């Protein structure tokens, strides 16, 4: 990777140090090496960034920009991200530990795709004319919400940033992005590329820092009109409570414990492959991970055997190696968390059929092997709590009612999967699952046009999708005009 790593705050299209002068380390979890000391933004820095964003909203340059030009800025940014794909992919891999193959071939192109999709939206935002009684014309305007605070997690740093920043900018807002402290580097680089694309100063600001400092300050700031958050349910609750003070608009994409249901009539090979992708893709550090796999009793043993064999074949290794399928867990703290769940699974009587081991590669790094527990019961900790690691719980079920009841027996409601050749059964299950996303005979499919978000304790206000973005990042004004008088 050639380019120098950006480490400072990005405010008004310029690099700045934190007012306190403090920094924090960003570490490569595959090697333990500190790759950068990053400016540690706090309330004073957030305030500076919010003032910059408010100034941008007040400027004619941004608020009166022709919508076609706004669209072109986003297209140009997408092109620049694409052109810097090798650099951004390598940076994401070093910061997060995911295989370079995934970062370069999946995360970068999908980030580009999200910017292009919302570039296409920017000049197609319009209100309605409403038939009203009397000699009046009534119409609605779709206006930007204002300054949007975006707070993102560490598992898909540039992707999830794009899910928020691209639609917010397309709708004419200014943003202040607070990336996760574990993985702040790609967001800083993308914001710099936005300036190169021609975005005016203050439209796209980035303040790296700790959640309780920079993140909390963004949520509390009276100059921020909306918060778009992705992260844990625990922090989501704090944000919803805090935002109640100022009544700013909040959307929350939170945790999950998603069910993946395999019926006996499924294409078993495809189901085993899909269940493995569902839990092991992204090291299981995926909010939509299919971490509870429900298998119909008549094929349970056959499935467990094939699934365990597939897990054993997931190569743990240096994320830069082509053959690596499981990279490094993002931090030592997260690895400890994952291992504590492995211990809980053993202690509570689940049968460990694959993995469960903490390993190192060349004597370094935070790695764990792809782990499968069979004979899990619904009340076990590993069937209830989000692990956020490559640990699958496989549970048997008797019939369709039993599958739906067990799948819905969770506080979460993010994603879900169903594997069957019976189309009626597939639609019945899709209807009855309490989840924001249902994948039928597939898993982990994403498209910028398809909404992504949860129900229950997985949050509210989906990312992606045209209409959902419009709801989230614009406000409606109703205009009355007396006519014929
Ligand atoms: P986290 O909630 O600890 O942190 C997420 C972000 O919030 C980080 O930027 C963090 O600095 C910030 N933050 C922490 N405390 C804050 C506070 N008091 N005020 C404001 N901001 C604060 O989550 P994480 O550990 O980074 O990510 C893992 C979690 O994210 C998992 O639960 C996972 O399911 C969830 N997640 C959900 C989705 C989704 O789309 N639903 C996607 C990815 C991850």
């Amino acid at each position: 990777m050639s380019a120098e790593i950006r480490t400072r705050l990005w405010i008004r299209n310029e690099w700045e140090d934190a007012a306190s002068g403090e920094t924090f380390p960003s570490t490569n979890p595959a090697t333990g090496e500190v790759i950068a000391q990053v400016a540690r933004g706090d309330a004073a820095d957030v305030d500076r960034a919010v003032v910059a964003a408010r100034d941008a909203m007040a400027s004619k340059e941004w608020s009166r920009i022709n919508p076609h030009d706004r669209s072109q800025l986003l297209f140009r940014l997408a092109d620049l991200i694409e052109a810097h794909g090798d650099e951004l992919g390598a940076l994401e891999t070093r910061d997060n530990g995911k295989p370079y193959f995934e970062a370069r071939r999946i995360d970068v192109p999908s980030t580009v795709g999200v910017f292009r999709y919302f570039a296409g939206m920017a000049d197609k935002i319009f209100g309605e004319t409403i038939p009203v009684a009397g000699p009046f014309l009534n119409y609605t305007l779709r206006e930007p919400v204002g300054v949007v605070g975006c707070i993102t997690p560490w598992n898909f740093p540039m992707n999830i940033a794009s899910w928020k920043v691209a639609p917010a900018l397309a709708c004419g807002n200014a943003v202040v992005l607070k990336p996760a402290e574990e993985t702040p580097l790609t967001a800083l680089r993308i914001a710099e590329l936005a300036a190169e694309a021609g975005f005016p100063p203050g439209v796209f600001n980035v303040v790296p820092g700790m959640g309780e400092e920079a993140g909390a300050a963004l949520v509390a700031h009276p100059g921020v009109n909306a918060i778009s958050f992705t992260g844990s349910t625990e922090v989501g609750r704090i944000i919803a409570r805090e935002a109640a003070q100022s009544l700013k608009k909040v959307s929350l994409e939170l945790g999950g414990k998603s069910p993946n249901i395999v019926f006996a009539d499924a294409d078993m090979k495809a189901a085993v492959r899909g269940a493995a992708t569902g839990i092991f893709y992204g090291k299981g550090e995926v909010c939509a991970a299919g971490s509870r796999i429900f298998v119909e009793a008549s094929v349970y043993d056959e499935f467990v055997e094939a699934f365990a064999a597939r897990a054993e074949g997931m190569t743990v290794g240096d994320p830069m190696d082509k053959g690596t399928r499981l990279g490094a867990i993002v931090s030592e703290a997260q690895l400890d968390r994952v291992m504590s769940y492995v211990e809980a699974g053993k202690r509570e009587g689940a049968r460990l059929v694959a993995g469960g081991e903490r390993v190192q590669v060349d004597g370094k790094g935070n790695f764990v092997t792809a782990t499968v527990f069979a004979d899990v019961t619904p009340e076990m900790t590993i069937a209830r709590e989000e692990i956020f690691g490559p640990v699958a719980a496989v549970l048997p079920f008797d019939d369709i009612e039993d599958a739906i009841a067990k799948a819905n027996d969770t506080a979460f409601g993010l994603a879900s999967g169903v594997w069957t050749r019976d189309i009626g059964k597939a639609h019945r299950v899709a209807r009855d699952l309490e989840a924001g996303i249902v994948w039928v005979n597939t898993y982990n499919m994403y498209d910028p046009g398809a909404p992504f978000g949860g129900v229950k304790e997985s949050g509210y206000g989906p990312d992606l999708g045209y209409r959902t973005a419009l709801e989230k990042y614009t406000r409606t004004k109703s205009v009355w005009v007396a006519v014929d008088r």
Side-chain angles (χ1 to χ4, degrees):
M1 203 195 54
S2 53
E4 180 198 333
I5 295 176
R6 275 57 173 176
T7 58
R8 299 161 81 197
L9 314 174
W10 181 251
I11 299 175
R12 282 183 212 273
N13 286 359
E14 285 181 9
W15 296 116
E16 294 189 15
D17 289 323
S20 66
E22 298 281 320
T23 61
F24 65 96
S26 195
T27 307
N28 179 343
T31 60
E33 161 213 14
V34 173
I35 44 181
Q37 288 290 341
V38 181
R40 179 172 177 154
D42 63 14
D45 304 300
V46 165
D47 185 56
R48 250 182 315 142
V50 173
V51 170
R54 294 225 72 84
D55 288 350
M57 289 308 293
S59 75
K60 287 212 170 57
E61 201 185 357
W62 182 239
S63 67
R64 295 279 168 262
I65 188 174
N66 167 336
H68 306 302
D69 291 344
R70 201 165 67 220
S71 166
Q72 286 310 313
L73 286 176
L74 284 157
F75 275 121
R76 234 176 282 146
L77 175 54
D79 291 347
L80 284 169
I81 295 170
E82 193 167 53
H84 291 82
D86 290 346
E87 176 198 341
L88 286 165
L91 196 55
E92 197 82 315
T93 286
R94 290 180 72 193
D95 216 9
N96 166 282
K98 66 176 67 194
Y100 178 66
F101 171 81
E102 284 178 20
R104 182 68 189 92
R105 298 273 162 247
I106 301 171
D107 296 19
V108 170
S110 71
T111 299
V112 171
V114 168
F115 274 100
R116 291 210 171 114
Y117 180 84
F118 288 107
M121 175 187 183
D123 54 4
K124 297 168 196 70
I125 296 169
F126 40 78
E128 296 168 315
T129 51
I130 320 275
V132 290
F136 301 103
L137 166 67
N138 177 277
Y139 63 91
T140 59
L141 292 172
R142 282 286 188 172
E143 299 178 336
V145 180
V147 174
V148 180
C150 305
I151 303 177
T152 52
W154 44 258
N155 56 346
F156 291 87
M158 78 177 126
N159 271 138
I160 295 180
S162 76
W163 290 10
K164 300 181 182 309
V165 171
L169 296 182
C171 293
N173 300 283
V175 304
V176 178
L177 168 62
K178 207 301 278 174
E181 48 271 44
E182 294 84 353
T183 55
L185 303 179
T186 45
L188 289 167
R189 183 69 176 119
I190 287 173
E192 186 183 38
L193 291 176
E196 198 178 323
F199 280 92
V203 171
F204 183 176
N205 310 280
V206 183
V207 180
M210 302 299 120
E212 311 75 50
E213 297 168 9
L218 197 54
V219 176
H221 202 294
V224 174
N225 303 91
I227 291 287
S228 182
F229 173 76
T230 296
S232 60
T233 295
E234 188 191 345
V235 174
R237 282 201 183 92
I238 297 173
I239 289 177
R241 211 177 301 131
E242 179 60 37
Q245 294 305 318
S246 58
L247 291 175
K248 49 176 66 85
K249 199 170 176 178
V250 172
S251 57
L252 304 171
E253 290 290 352
L254 310 175
K257 191 74 190 172
S258 299
N260 204 353
I261 304 173
V262 181
F263 285 98
D265 64 6
D267 172 342
M268 210 40 68
K269 248 175 119 174
V272 168
R273 203 171 46 231
T277 308
I279 181 64
F280 298 130
Y281 176 68
K283 313 163 250 165
E285 295 168 351
V286 177
C287 49
S291 49
R292 292 181 300 146
I293 303 169
F294 294 99
V295 183
E296 196 160 356
S298 59
V299 292
Y300 185 79
D301 291 339
E302 174 193 343
F303 178 91
V304 167
E305 193 179 323
F307 184 62
R310 197 160 179 104
E312 298 285 2
M314 299 284 305
T315 318
V316 175
D318 177 350
M320 296 307 285
D321 279 355
K322 262 203 168 125
T324 294
R325 288 293 164 266
L326 273 188
I329 300 295
V330 74
S331 63
E332 222 171 303
Q334 182 63 15
L335 179 63
D336 288 342
R337 219 175 103 86
V338 171
M339 293 313 295
S340 76
Y341 281 109
V342 171
E343 290 313 312
K346 291 183 192 163
R347 199 174 51 241
E348 294 175 22
R351 178 162 58 100
L352 181 66
V353 293
E357 280 160 44
R358 183 179 194 142
V359 289
Q360 294 201 311
V361 173
D362 298 331
K364 291 185 289 208
N366 314 321
F367 297 86
V368 59
T369 48
T371 304
V372 180
F373 279 105
D375 304 346
V376 177
T377 56
E379 61 293 341
M380 286 182 187
T381 310
I382 56 168
R384 306 211 72 80
E385 296 182 14
E386 183 181 47
I387 299 174
F388 225 56
V391 181
V394 191
L395 304 87
F397 69 85
D398 296 327
D399 54 22
I400 186 166
E401 278 75 26
D402 189 35
I404 292 166
K406 282 180 169 151
N408 287 341
D409 179 22
T410 168
F412 296 110
L414 188 52
S416 58
V418 188
W419 299 83
T420 174
R421 287 192 171 102
D422 179 337
I423 189 170
K425 201 192 276 179
H427 285 291
R428 153 97 197 270
V429 176
R431 183 195 65 192
D432 289 347
L433 283 176
E434 295 166 355
I437 302 130
V438 184
W439 284 300
V440 178
N441 293 331
T442 185
Y443 208 90
N444 272 342
M445 294 308 297
Y446 296 83
D447 187 281
F452 180 90
V455 298
K456 295 161 73 177
E457 292 184 20
S458 293
Y460 45 79
D463 279 319
L464 305 180
Y466 175 87
R467 279 177 198 283
T468 36
L470 201 62
E471 282 310 316
K472 223 159 135 162
Y473 297 109
T474 68
R475 61 186 186 200
T476 304
K477 181 181 278 171
S478 171
V479 183
W480 289 80
V481 184
V483 292
D484 198 30
R485 286 204 168 172

